[in-house]
Amino acid sequence: MKKVLYLLLILLTVSCTKENSTITYYGTVIGKFRSWGGGIGVSMNSNTYSNVSYKGYNHVVEALNIPIDLPENTVIKFTARKATESESIFPMSADGFEGSPIIYITDYSIQ
């Protein structure tokens, strides 16, 4: 019985570690998608959140919670998650690119 409990404890610990692990991504800022509102366009180095292409950039996402005035071609290192519905519903102009997923940056640094 003790062996079964130890095994369950180990499995539970491993599954919790994987779920809470943080992955670091890299991306290139491609600028604002809209004249007002929304986030900033980022071309990620991986397809974790997107397979969308835009103006020659791959894996494009709209990123929230980072400065919208970061210059184009700035490379950033960041951690992120998909934006919640309440985070991604906000006033914004309709003149932008609507095809990319919206992510929420939890931490970033300029490279």
Side-chain angles (χ1 to χ4, degrees), residues 14-100:
V14 170
S15 68
C16 288
T17 303
K18 283 183 180 180
E19 186 176 308
N20 295 327
S21 65
T22 303
I23 299 173
T24 301
Y25 303 102
Y26 290 86
T28 303
V29 173
I30 61 176
K32 288 276 296 164
F33 288 142
R34 309 165 203 290
S35 56
W36 57 268
I40 192 168
V42 174
S43 174
M44 294 181 61
N45 288 2
S46 72
N47 66 350
T48 302
Y49 294 106
S50 172
N51 284 317
V52 174
S53 294
Y54 177 73
K55 293 188 177 181
Y57 292 97
N58 295 317
H59 315 305
V60 175
V61 295
E62 186 168 359
L64 305 177
N65 199 35
I66 60 174
I68 58 171
D69 60 350
L70 285 175
E72 287 184 31
N73 297 316
T74 299
V75 176
I76 58 173
K77 176 182 174 182
F78 62 95
T79 56
R81 60 175 168 73
K82 284 190 171 192
T84 64
E85 187 175 334
S86 63
E87 291 166 338
S88 57
I89 302 292
F90 42 78
M92 62 185 147
S93 63
D95 62 348
F97 176 61
E98 301 293 332
S100 63

